[in-house]
Amino acid sequence: MAEGCNDGSSIPTMTPYEEALDALSSLITKRSRADKSNKGDRFDLLFDYLKILELEEAITEMKIIHVAGTKGKGSTCTFTESILRNCGFHTGLFTSPHLIDVRERFRLDGVDICEEKFLAYFWWCYDRLKEKATEDIPMPTYFRFLALLAFKIFAAEQVDVAILEVGLGGKFDPTNVVQKPIVCGISSLGYDHMEILGNTLSQIAGEKAGIYKDGIPAYTVPQPDEAMNVLVEKASKLNVPLKVAEPLDAKLLNGLKLSLEGEHQYLNAGLAIALSSTWLQRTGHHEFTYLKQDSPLPEQFIKGLTTASLQGRAQKVPDQYIDAESYGDLVFYLDGAHSPESMEMCARWFSLAIKEDSQKKAFNYPPQNNSGSTIELAQGNPNDRYGKSSMQILLFNCMSVRDPQLLLPCLMKTCASHGVYFKKALFVPNTSVYTKVGSHALPTDSEVDLSWQLTLQRVWENLIQSDKGGEAKYADAVCEEGKEDTKMSGSACENSAVFPSLPLAIKWIRESVLQNRSVRHQVLVTGSLHLVGDVLRLVKM
C-alpha cells in the first residue's frame, strides 16, 4: 500500500493489519497494571461494553470453561482445548500474553485466528465502541478490549466450547463478566502480581476464587493449606462443588509423553482432564466422560494431551543462523517463568533437558511433532561422536515489579542442585515495548534505560560472590573493571554482561559459537514471556 506524493513518487504506508495494531496500541494507557486512575478500568463498565456490542445474550449461551491461577493456567487451557477438539468439538481458546503476534490470543480449533477474520472482528468492535464512547463510558483499556474481542469472535464463529484464561487475578478480570460457565478451574497458586492481588497466599487465593459462580462446579490442584482453606471457604459460601484434581498418572498415556515438557505439566494435565470431563458430562456428551483415575483414558484425551502445543513454555528451539553442519551448536531453551515457584520448575526442566540432550546422539531436524518446536533426539552420546562439551548461558529479564532477589537465587540454586552452572548471565531489555502492539514500532538502543538490567546484574554477581564465600559488595568492583570487556556490552562483569538490546546479545552469543566450535551453547531464556517472544521472533527469522 502506498500514497502518492506531489513529485510523483510514492511512500510506503502501514498495512491494514498494522493500522489495526496502531488502533489497539491507542488503548494502552499505563505500563502499570495496578493503576486505577483510568475510568476504563472500572469493572462495571464491562457490562456497558457488552451491551454496546450486543454480546449479552451470546455470552449467556456460550458453553464456557473459565480458568484462573498463578502458574499453569495457560498450559491447562491448552490441554483442555486440545482434548475437546480431539473429541470433535469446534473450540475457541483465549489466552495471554501473546509472544509474537496478537492473533495468538484467539485460537479457533487450535489455530491462531487468520488475519482476515481478525481485522473484520476487530474493526466491528472498535468502531462501535468508539462511536458510543463518552466521558462516562470511555473506550475500554487494552486487555479489556481484547477480552471483548474474544467474546465477539467466539460468538460469531459459533464455537461449541470457549476456554477462557484469566488475564490477571480473577474477581475483576474482564473475562469474569461470564455469569454461568459450565465449569471453573484454578491452577497452582503462588506469589505473583502481589502489587495488585495482595501479599499473602490467602489474599491471592481470594482474588482467584472470584471466578466462582453460584452452584457451578469447580476444580483445583493440590495447593498450600493457606490457599486451599480460602478456596474451600469461598466455594462453600457460593454452594460451589469444589474438587481437587489429582496429577495425571503418566501410565495412562499408553507409553506416549505429554506434548508440553516438564514434570509440573502432569499437574496441569490432571486439571485439564477434570475440566474436560465435567464439561462433557454437563453438556450431555457422556460417551467421552472420564472421571476415575483407575480407568483407561479415552483415546481422544490421550491424543489431545500428547499433541497440544504452546509456545514459550519449556520449549527448545535451535538457532537457524548457525549452519546445518553445526546443528545443535546453539539451542535456546525457552520458558516464560516469572514467579519463584515457576522459576524453580523452569530450572529443574532446563537442568534435566540439557542432561537428556547430552546423552543423545544426533539432532533430528526439522522437528517431527505437531508443536513444530520441540526437538526430538535420537539415542546416543554426541560427545562421543563430535567430541563437544556443553556451555550454559542465561539470557534474562523480568518486569521491575518482580523481585529478582527471589527469582534469581531460586534459579541458581535449583540448577546448582542438578550440577548445572551458567558460564555467563546476560541481562537485556525486552525488544517489545509496553505502549505498542506489533513489531513496526520498536525502540532504538539510545532510547533504552538499562538501570533495571544493571540492577539484575548486581543481584546475579552478588549471588555468585556469596556462593564463592566472597563479600557481596565485590560485585560492583568486578563490573566496573570489566566494563570494556566487550564493545557491545553496556556493562561486562566476570560472570555476566548487560546488553543495550536483545539483538546485540544474540549477536554476541552467535559469535561465541562461531569462535568456539568445540562447545555446544545451551541458552536458557527466562524471566519474562515478553522476552521469550522477542527471542522467538529473532531466532526463527
Side-chain angles (χ1 to χ4, degrees):
M1 181 186 295
E3 290 181 352
C5 298
N6 293 334
D7 60 2
S9 64
S10 62
I11 57 173
T13 58
M14 289 189 292
T15 66
Y17 189 58
E18 288 172 337
E19 289 175 359
L21 296 186
D22 251 22
L24 181 58
S25 297
S26 72
L27 304 179
I28 302 175
T29 56
K30 298 280 184 180
R31 176 170 175 168
S32 171
R33 284 170 288 187
D35 184 83
K36 298 296 182 186
S37 62
N38 189 284
K39 288 186 178 181
D41 283 328
R42 290 203 339 254
F43 184 76
D44 57 345
L45 283 175
L46 285 159
F47 296 97
D48 294 313
Y49 298 141
L50 291 179
K51 186 174 292 185
I52 291 171
L53 297 175
E54 301 174 355
L55 287 172
E56 297 164 297
E57 183 178 349
I59 288 181
T60 62
E61 293 175 354
M62 267 185 216
K63 295 178 173 60
I64 291 169
I65 297 174
H66 201 191
V67 183
T70 304
K71 51 191 184 293
K73 60 183 184 290
S75 299
T76 297
C77 288
T78 300
F79 278 136
T80 303
E81 184 280 329
S82 187
I83 288 171
L84 293 177
R85 173 163 41 88
N86 278 283
C87 286
F89 296 99
H90 180 28
T91 62
L93 173 63
F94 176 59
T95 59
S96 62
H98 64 273
L99 297 184
I100 297 176
D101 192 309
V102 71
R103 292 181 294 113
E104 296 166 26
R105 296 172 182 252
F106 316 94
R107 301 182 85 176
L108 295 169
D109 296 326
V111 179
D112 301 348
I113 188 171
C114 67
E115 196 171 296
E116 182 181 3
K117 285 185 177 181
F118 175 85
L119 288 173
Y121 294 132
F122 175 88
W123 289 117
W124 192 94
C125 292
Y126 188 89
D127 290 342
R128 277 161 181 74
L129 291 166
K130 193 76 172 177
E131 180 185 353
K132 299 289 185 180
T134 65
E135 186 176 342
D136 292 326
I137 307 177
M139 283 292 285
T141 49
Y142 174 69
F143 188 73
R144 300 267 166 108
F145 179 85
L146 292 175
L148 294 165
L149 179 57
F151 288 125
K152 172 60 183 176
I153 291 170
F154 297 156
E157 293 292 320
Q158 297 181 312
V159 298
D160 298 321
V161 55
I163 299 106
L164 307 178
E165 177 191 356
V166 166
L168 179 62
K171 184 177 181 181
F172 296 114
D173 187 80
T175 60
N176 206 32
V177 294
V178 173
Q179 299 302 298
K180 289 188 176 180
I182 300 298
V183 61
C184 296
I186 296 181
S187 64
S188 299
L189 298 179
Y191 294 98
D192 196 18
H193 302 300
M194 294 158 66
E195 76 282 4
I196 302 169
L197 305 180
N199 294 313
T200 68
L201 273 183
S202 295
Q203 291 173 314
I204 292 169
E207 288 294 320
K208 307 289 185 182
I211 68 167
Y212 287 161
K213 299 298 182 296
D214 191 8
I216 301 297
Y219 286 87
T220 188
V221 297
Q223 306 278 10
D225 289 343
E226 184 182 353
M228 187 64 80
N229 291 339
V230 174
L231 296 182
V232 171
E233 179 187 354
K234 297 281 187 181
S236 177
K237 288 180 179 178
L238 285 173
N239 193 33
V240 169
L242 176 65
K243 295 181 180 178
V244 177
E246 294 300 320
L248 170 66
D249 184 342
K251 291 183 291 187
L252 294 174
L253 294 176
N254 294 341
L256 299 175
K257 293 178 66 176
L258 290 176
S259 56
L260 305 185
E261 291 196 40
E263 297 170 12
H264 58 287
Q265 293 296 359
Y266 287 90
L267 199 67
N268 300 326
L271 180 56
I273 289 169
L275 294 173
S276 301
S277 297
T278 302
W279 186 90
L280 289 163
Q281 185 181 44
R282 297 196 75 219
T283 55
H285 300 282
H286 301 287
E287 65 274 22
F288 297 113
T289 304
Y290 169 84
L291 295 173
K292 295 180 180 179
Q293 274 275 10
D294 56 352
S295 58
L297 266 178
E299 180 183 338
Q300 296 87 346
F301 279 48
I302 294 175
K303 187 174 181 182
L305 293 167
T306 56
T307 61
S309 64
L310 182 63
Q311 289 196 111
R313 278 79 165 181
Q315 180 182 5
K316 293 185 284 187
V317 177
D319 184 42
Q320 297 190 12
Y321 174 82
I322 303 299
D323 60 47
E325 290 183 9
S326 299
Y327 186 82
D329 275 7
L330 175 55
V331 177
F332 292 89
Y333 295 72
L334 304 137
D335 192 274
H338 49 262
S339 70
E341 296 87 356
S342 59
M343 193 61 68
E344 181 179 350
M345 293 176 181
C346 166
R348 190 183 306 129
W349 161 72
F350 175 66
S351 300
L352 296 174
I354 62 173
K355 287 186 178 181
E356 180 182 346
D357 290 353
S358 71
Q359 294 167 358
K360 294 179 177 179
K361 185 174 182 180
F363 291 79
N364 175 24
Y365 185 74
Q368 300 300 313
N369 64 11
N370 288 335
S371 69
S373 61
T374 302
I375 299 170
E376 295 294 340
L377 305 167
Q379 294 298 323
N381 188 332
N383 289 342
D384 290 343
R385 180 176 176 183
Y386 300 107
K388 293 188 178 184
S389 58
S390 298
M391 175 195 300
Q392 290 76 49
I393 295 173
L394 174 65
L395 186 57
F396 187 92
N397 192 34
C398 67
M399 293 177 64
S400 58
V401 294
R402 300 203 165 93
D403 187 355
Q405 299 279 7
L406 294 176
L407 299 180
L408 290 174
C410 187
L411 173 65
M412 182 184 287
K413 290 176 183 176
T414 304
C415 285
S417 70
H418 288 83
V420 175
Y421 301 90
F422 294 98
K423 181 71 174 178
K424 202 88 169 179
L426 312 180
F427 300 98
V428 295
N430 294 343
T431 303
S432 308
V433 292
Y434 293 90
T435 54
K436 289 285 183 182
V437 184
S439 59
H440 62 286
L442 300 176
T444 62
D445 293 353
S446 60
E447 295 173 335
V448 177
D449 178 5
L450 296 176
S451 57
W452 177 244
Q453 283 68 42
L454 292 169
T455 297
L456 296 174
Q457 181 186 38
R458 282 192 292 272
V459 172
W460 183 262
E461 288 290 334
N462 286 340
L463 286 169
I464 294 285
Q465 298 308 322
S466 298
D467 193 50
K468 291 178 179 178
E471 294 184 17
K473 63 181 181 181
Y474 179 64
D476 289 330
V478 174
C479 292
E480 189 65 27
E481 292 173 6
K483 265 194 172 183
E484 302 304 321
D485 281 2
T486 169
K487 292 179 181 179
M488 294 187 295
S489 176
S491 172
C493 299
E494 181 182 358
N495 309 290
S496 62
V498 170
F499 286 85
S501 74
L502 177 61
L504 285 178
I506 299 292
K507 181 181 179 183
W508 182 89
I509 294 170
R510 285 170 172 168
E511 289 182 351
S512 176
V513 174
L514 294 174
Q515 291 168 8
N516 194 352
R517 287 301 184 101
S518 65
V519 177
R520 296 190 182 280
H521 290 62
Q522 299 165 322
V523 183
L524 174 62
V525 183
T526 190
S528 163
L529 273 167
H530 296 287
L531 176 63
V532 166
D534 294 338
V535 171
L536 277 172
R537 188 182 294 112
L538 284 172
V539 303
K540 284 192 166 186
M541 287 172 62

